[in-house]
């Protein structure tokens, strides 16, 4: 397992480099020169050269990239232009909020999605299946920021059950988690259903029936175990989706987090913060995929055997 | 009945019919908005601001007293055209890339697939946000961002199609008849790969409408006063407690349109019998 894991982690290195090049180059594609903003009007050319040298902008782009990446590895993400604080500090403040929200949303979509998928598969082509699949489709067609606002309107304003926004107390988490989770639920339910239906057709299930095991026991213990492998793969691959959902939903519910920070700094043109947020989100996506591969390997005896 | 082309047969089902009818209505509203909308999209009437549904304004008015139904029609124009153009661009580039990767194979194929797999694992909204950060907000930026966000999907799908078709007997037959590479690629492989790619493109247009609305909601899409569904919801989000209809109707328009696209697309997939071809690539 360990050599496989090391090889798998090593494949992330070129991916990380490619992503970091793209994110680094954001600063150099945007129109306008940051030095223009720092210089007083009518400053001599030497002042400009001096300023460029101070920020390292006079060197070749690959060198600048190398310096930037080196600093990133030391945890130095630069200084926010607007907030005038180290970017790493801003990120460290935002990250726990996003992780909590994303983690709970992932849990919500797994539990609800798998349950709905099982029910749909057990009553295949009958009304519970149709109702669940129809509901799931309708749910996935709504933009999640809109769904969040509607939930907020109904449950916070009209019913008064939850706070409207902010991040104080556990009950401020309910609506954001449900909003993000519902999007993932659709996908998980659909895949669980298909995987269950396909697993039922396999020979070992016929054998279990022939042995006289109770059908529900077969479905829940043997078929489900098989069906969960693709579900785990998709869940891990789609950790990115959940993070994407978190970006918008954080903004809607005015919660602190990476999404709010990203959108705010985008509108303020605070590019060091934008870069750092994008880098964090990209790393989360990569780690999610890795986690999915590891989980899948642990669950599937065939893959486990191939790695040994 | 079976002589009818599949896109029309897909309308036969009750579900496909209703979905198709809604799509026709919404496309017509977008195309003819200047002719049929009751007001001008930027006609302000501050006395009538925050009005709920009435005989004069069927869906109510926004914070400047502008007619919501009118803005919804013009919003359809922006949202549908941005999504459709972006996806067309994405399909065109994806088909060329995918076909070239499958046809040439070797290191070119591997390079393309590495890049495709790389973008594949990232959520579309993240890719789109990175690109908008580079290009800058606005309609063009949104289009390019959406096009790139979905490029991986079409490249993968086209490549998979061509790879399977390459081994078919009719390709071998064409080759034995003396057909050249270009002829086989353009006249035999691409036309046969077209149907699944087009259906996938249609379904992706639905997702693109949501993505466009999300970028618009962040204020990164079409800039005011040009109405877009996302932009309307962005303005309405601050007023959700005072005048919820400002945000409710554009959201319903997005949801209904995306739902209709999905339902019609499903009917079309069933009619064309291509579900297996879309597997693992959609």
């Amino acid at each position: 397992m360990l050599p496989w894991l090391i090889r798998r982690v090593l494949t992330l290195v070129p991916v990380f480099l490619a992503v970091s090049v793209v994110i680094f180059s954001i600063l150099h594609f945007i129109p306008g020169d940051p030095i223009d903003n720092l210089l007083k009007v009518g400053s001599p050319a030497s002042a400009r050269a001096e300023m460029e040298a101070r920020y390292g902008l006079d060197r070749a782009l690959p060198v600048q990239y190398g310096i930037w990446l080196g600093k990133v590895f030391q945890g130095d993400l630069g200084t926010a232009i607007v907030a005038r604080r180290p970017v790493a500090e801003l990120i460290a403040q935002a990250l726990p909020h996003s992780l909590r929200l994303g983690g709970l949303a992932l849990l919500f979509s797994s539990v609800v999605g798998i349950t709905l998928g099982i029910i749909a598969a057990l009553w295949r082509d009958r009304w519970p299946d149709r109702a669940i699949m129809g509901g799931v489709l309708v749910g996935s067609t709504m933009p999640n920021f809109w769904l969040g606002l509607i939930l907020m309107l109904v449950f916070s304003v009209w019913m008064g059950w939850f706070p409207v926004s902010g991040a104080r107390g556990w009950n401020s988490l309910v609506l954001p988690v449900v909003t993000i989770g519902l999007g993932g639920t659709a996908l998980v339910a659909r895949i669980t259903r298909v995987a269950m239906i396909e697993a039922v057709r396999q020979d070992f299930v016929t054998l279990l029936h022939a042995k006289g095991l109770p059908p529900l026991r077969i479905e829940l213990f043997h078929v489900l175990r098989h069906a969960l492998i693709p579900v785990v793969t998709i869940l891990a691959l789609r950790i990115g989706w959940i993070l994407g959902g978190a970006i918008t939903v954080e903004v809607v519910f005015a919660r602190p987090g990476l999404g709010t920070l990203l959108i705010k700094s985008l509108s303020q043109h605070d590019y060091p913060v934008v870069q750092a947020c994008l880098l964090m989100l990209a790393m989360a996506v990569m780690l999610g995929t890795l986690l999915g591969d590891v989980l899948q390997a642990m669950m599937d005896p065939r893959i486990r055997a191939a790695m040994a | 009945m079976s002589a009818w082309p599949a896109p029309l047969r897909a309308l036969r089902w009750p579900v496909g019919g209703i979905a198709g009818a809604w799509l026709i209505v919404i496309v017509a509203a977008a195309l003819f908005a200047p002719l049929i909308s009751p007001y001008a999209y930027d006609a302000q009437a501050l006395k009538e601001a925050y009005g709920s549904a009435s005989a004069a304004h069927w869906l109510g008015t926004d914070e400047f007293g502008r007619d919501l139904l009118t803005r919804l029609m013009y919003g359809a124009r922006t949202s549908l055209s941005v999504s459709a153009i972006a996806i067309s661009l994405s399909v065109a580039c994806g088909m060329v890339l995918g076909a070239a990767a499958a046809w040439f194979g070797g290191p070119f194929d591997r390079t393309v697939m590495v890049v495709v797999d790389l973008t594949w694992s990232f959520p579309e909204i993240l890719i789109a946000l990175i690109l908008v950060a580079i290009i800058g907000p606005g309609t063009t930026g949104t289009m390019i961002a959406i096009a790139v966000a979905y490029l991986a999907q079409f490249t993968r799908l086209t490549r998979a199609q061509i790879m399977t078709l390459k081994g078919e007997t009719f390709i071998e037959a064409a080759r034995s008849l003396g057909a050249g590479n270009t002829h086989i690629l353009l006249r035999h492989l691409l036309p046969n790969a077209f149907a699944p790619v087009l259906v996938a493109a249609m379904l992706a247009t639905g997702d693109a409408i949501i993505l466009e609305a999300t970028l618009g909601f962040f204020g990164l899409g079409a800039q005011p006063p040009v109405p877009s569904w996302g932009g309307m919801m962005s303005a309405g989000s601050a007023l959700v407690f005072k005048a919820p209809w400002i945000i409710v109707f554009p959201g319903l328009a997005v949801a209904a349109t995306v739902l209709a696209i999905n339902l019609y697309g499903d009917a079309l997939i069933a009619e064309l019998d291509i579900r297996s071809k879309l597997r693992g690539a959609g």
Side-chain angles (χ1 to χ4, degrees), chain A residues 35 39-51:
Chain A
I35 296 295
L39 285 176
K40 289 194 189 89
V41 181
S43 304
S46 62
R48 182 184 185 84
E50 190 189 318
M51 198 68 100

Side-chain angles (χ1 to χ4, degrees), chain A residues 15 146 149 157 198 240 248 285, chain B residues 118 121 123 214 218 241 247 251 279:
Chain A
V15 178
W146 184 76
L149 282 163
V157 180
E198 274 175 7
T248 48
V285 173
Chain B
L118 180 70
S121 57
T214 308
F218 290 141
F241 309 126
I247 188 162
R279 268 271 185 93

Side-chain angles (χ1 to χ4, degrees), chain B residues 188-200:
Chain B
H188 297 287
L189 289 176
L190 280 177
N192 275 294
F194 218 57
V197 174
L198 271 191
V199 175

Side-chain angles (χ1 to χ4, degrees), chain A residues 154-174:
Chain A
V154 174
F155 293 103
S156 302
V157 180
W158 293 346
M159 309 275 199
W161 290 354
F162 306 105
V164 170
S165 62
R168 252 174 258 129
W170 65 270
N171 58 351
S172 69
L173 269 167
V174 175

Side-chain angles (χ1 to χ4, degrees), chain A:
Chain A
M1 178 101 189
L2 197 63
W4 172 83
L5 189 64
I6 293 171
R7 251 179 294 137
R8 182 64 186 75
V9 172
L10 283 180
T11 58
L12 286 181
V13 174
V15 178
F16 175 81
L17 288 178
V19 171
S20 68
V21 166
V22 172
I23 290 175
F24 170 75
S25 55
I26 289 176
L27 258 186
H28 299 270
F29 277 121
I30 49 164
D33 186 341
I35 296 295
D36 286 339
N37 294 327
L38 294 171
L39 285 176
K40 289 194 189 89
V41 181
S43 304
S46 62
R48 182 184 185 84
E50 190 189 318
M51 198 68 100
E52 280 183 346
R54 194 198 303 169
Y55 287 96
L57 293 173
D58 53 343
R59 311 213 207 151
L61 268 185
V63 178
Q64 288 189 36
Y65 168 72
I67 296 173
W68 176 75
L69 194 66
K71 282 187 175 167
V72 166
F73 280 126
Q74 290 162 22
D76 178 4
L77 295 163
T79 309
I81 300 169
V82 177
R84 292 173 187 280
R85 286 171 55 198
V87 177
E89 243 179 76
L90 294 174
I91 297 281
Q93 264 177 10
L95 199 57
H97 288 285
S98 291
L99 286 179
R100 197 175 310 136
L101 184 60
L104 285 172
L106 191 63
L107 190 69
F108 178 91
S109 20
S110 328
V111 173
V112 178
I114 291 174
T115 313
L116 289 178
I118 294 173
I119 296 173
L122 289 180
W123 279 274
R124 174 151 58 114
D125 292 332
R126 276 176 286 167
W127 69 264
D129 181 23
R130 297 227 172 87
I132 287 174
M133 286 302 119
V136 149
L137 176 62
V138 172
S140 67
T141 59
M142 289 184 256
N144 58 6
F145 64 88
W146 184 76
L147 183 67
L149 282 163
I150 299 298
L151 289 178
M152 191 200 279
L153 185 67
V154 174
F155 293 103
S156 302
V157 180
W158 293 346
M159 309 275 199
W161 290 354
F162 306 105
V164 170
S165 62
R168 252 174 258 129
W170 65 270
N171 58 351
S172 69
L173 269 167
V174 175
L175 290 182
V177 166
V178 171
T179 309
I180 306 170
L182 280 180
T185 303
L187 189 74
V188 175
R190 240 178 256 153
I191 290 168
T192 309
R193 176 180 174 275
V194 172
M196 291 270 293
I197 290 171
E198 274 175 7
V200 165
R201 293 204 192 110
Q202 295 196 22
D203 290 342
F204 80 92
V205 179
T206 319
L207 180 72
L208 291 172
H209 279 290
K211 269 173 71 181
L213 259 66
L216 196 64
R217 199 189 143 92
I218 298 179
E219 291 278 358
L220 288 186
F221 289 93
H222 299 274
V223 175
L224 182 61
R225 216 186 122 180
H226 243 247
L228 279 184
I229 294 172
V231 175
V232 169
T233 315
I234 291 292
L235 264 177
L237 270 178
R238 286 308 176 176
I239 282 181
W241 259 28
I242 297 200
L243 282 169
I247 298 177
T248 48
V249 171
E250 274 175 6
V251 175
V252 168
F253 287 93
R255 293 180 57 84
L258 277 186
T260 315
L261 192 61
L262 172 62
I263 297 299
K264 198 175 83 188
S265 40
L266 254 179
S267 63
Q268 292 174 335
H269 303 283
D270 198 340
Y271 287 100
V273 188
V274 172
Q275 283 179 322
C277 289
L278 290 175
L279 202 62
M280 286 296 138
L281 289 168
M283 272 168 63
V285 173
M286 286 186 280
L287 291 179
T289 337
L290 174 71
L291 187 69
D293 275 4
V294 173
L295 279 178
Q296 193 187 15
M298 279 161 49
M299 283 174 70
D300 192 334
R302 282 166 303 186
I303 301 182
R304 231 176 10 225
M307 285 180 325

Side-chain angles (χ1 to χ4, degrees), chain A residues 140, chain B residues 150 153 202-212 258 262:
Chain A
S140 67
Chain B
Y150 288 96
Q153 183 180 340
M202 201 183 129
L203 294 175
T205 307
D207 295 339
I209 291 174
I210 294 183
L211 187 55
E212 195 268 344
V258 177
N262 274 288

